């Protein structure tokens, strides 16, 4: 069972993530969008959206450091285990709380604003369910995992992180995840489930950076107000002198 959960299933999700994005970009370019609902409601969106996005940036940054940076590297630069976990708990909880509050605001907006609720799809609901579960489990593991590490019971940097790096190297060791606490196992499975459905949700906009925005030509707006300018606009039937 461990082999399926922590070897086969993650690679199925990874395949869905890669192939799904390729398929969607090839056959659904017009649907490759956030499906913005700002036109329907703006006040709650201006509060919830920045909180969610900036919170998630912190969450992703924390995962990159925690999963991809080996403990030997931080030890080599003089970062003690205690210092690392104090920063991990403080930064992880802060980022998680900001992201979670932002998502609650966005869900509340989507549920209470009629036009926004009408534009909500089934995949939107699936996406929010996976995100809420992943963030909630991640915050719990941040607290419980650090307490366990301080107590000497479990160090995720010697278990979950090693498994994740072995997974990326296509040499996964299922025993590393099988030995992890249930919270870490559930968090990993939910996260991979999110990756599996990612290409079929509005999350695809993460890979659409507006790089061309900084080099695009200016858009010139000309007023048709007769009071703003020295010449009255010419009508289509006026003769050209």
């Amino acid at each position: 069972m461990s082999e399926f959960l922590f070897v086969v299933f993650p690679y199925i999700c990874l395949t869905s993530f890669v192939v799904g994005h390729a398929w969607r970009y090839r056959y659904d370019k017009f649907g490759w969008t956030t499906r913005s609902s700002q036109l329907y409601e703006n006040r709650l969106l201006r509060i919830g959206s920045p909180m969610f996005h900036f919170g998630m940036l912190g969450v992703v940054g924390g995962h990159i450091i925690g999963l991809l940076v080996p403990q030997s590297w931080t030890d080599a630069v003089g970062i003690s285990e205690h210092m690392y976990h104090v920063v991990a708990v403080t930064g992880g909880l802060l980022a998680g709380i900001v992201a979670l509050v932002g998502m609650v605001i966005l869900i509340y907006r989507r549920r209470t604003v009629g036009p926004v609720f009408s534009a909500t799809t089934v995949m939107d609901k699936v996406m929010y369910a996976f995100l809420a579960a992943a963030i909630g489990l991640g915050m719990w593991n941040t607290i419980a995992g650090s307490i366990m590490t301080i107590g000497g019971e479990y160090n995720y940097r010697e278990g979950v992180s090693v498994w994740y790096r072995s997974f990326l190297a296509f040499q996964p060791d299922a025993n590393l995840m099988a030995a992890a606490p249930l919270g870490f196992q559930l968090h990993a499975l939910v996260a991979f489930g999110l990756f599996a459905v990612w290409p079929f949700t509005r999350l695809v906009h993460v890979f659409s950076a507006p790089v061309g925005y900084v080099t695009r030509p200016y858009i010139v707006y000309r007023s048709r107000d007769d009071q703003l300018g020295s010449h009255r606009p010419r009508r289509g039937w006026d003769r050209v002198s």
Side-chain angles (χ1 to χ4, degrees), residues 3 6-8 10-11 14 159-177:
E3 289 290 330
F6 304 120
V7 177
V8 178
Y11 281 119
L14 182 63
V160 175
S161 298
V162 177
W163 169 81
Y164 189 79
R165 293 195 295 272
S166 70
F167 168 80
L168 294 179
F170 296 100
Q171 296 178 336
D173 184 356
N175 294 325
L176 291 172
M177 278 301 297

Side-chain angles (χ1 to χ4, degrees), residues 51-75:
M51 291 184 67
F52 173 74
H53 285 87
F54 282 112
M56 287 305 298
L57 284 176
V59 169
V60 172
H63 278 72
I64 291 175
I65 296 174
L67 295 177
L68 299 183
V69 178
Q71 183 174 337
S72 59
W73 291 16
T74 55
D75 292 341

Side-chain angles (χ1 to χ4, degrees), residues 212-220:
Y213 181 84
V214 294
T215 59
R216 73 175 187 179
Y218 292 110
I219 301 177
V220 180

Side-chain angles (χ1 to χ4, degrees), residues 38-57:
Q38 184 176 4
L39 179 66
Y40 304 132
E41 196 280 335
N42 191 40
R43 184 178 62 86
L44 290 173
L45 184 65
R46 285 188 299 173
I47 300 173
S49 183
M51 291 184 67
F52 173 74
H53 285 87
F54 282 112
M56 287 305 298
L57 284 176

Side-chain angles (χ1 to χ4, degrees), residues 6 17-18 23 26 30 36 39 43 46 55 67-68 97 143 156 171 180-181 194-195 222 228 230:
F6 304 120
F17 182 81
V18 175
W23 175 87
R26 175 66 177 83
F30 288 107
S36 175
L39 179 66
R43 184 178 62 86
R46 285 188 299 173
L67 295 177
L68 299 183
I97 290 172
I143 300 174
Y156 71 89
Q171 296 178 336
L194 177 62
F195 283 123
R222 293 184 173 86
L228 300 178
S230 58

Side-chain angles (χ1 to χ4, degrees), residues 232-240:
R232 186 166 60 89
R234 183 175 64 85
R235 293 184 293 269
W237 56 82
D238 288 344
R239 296 181 60 184
V240 179

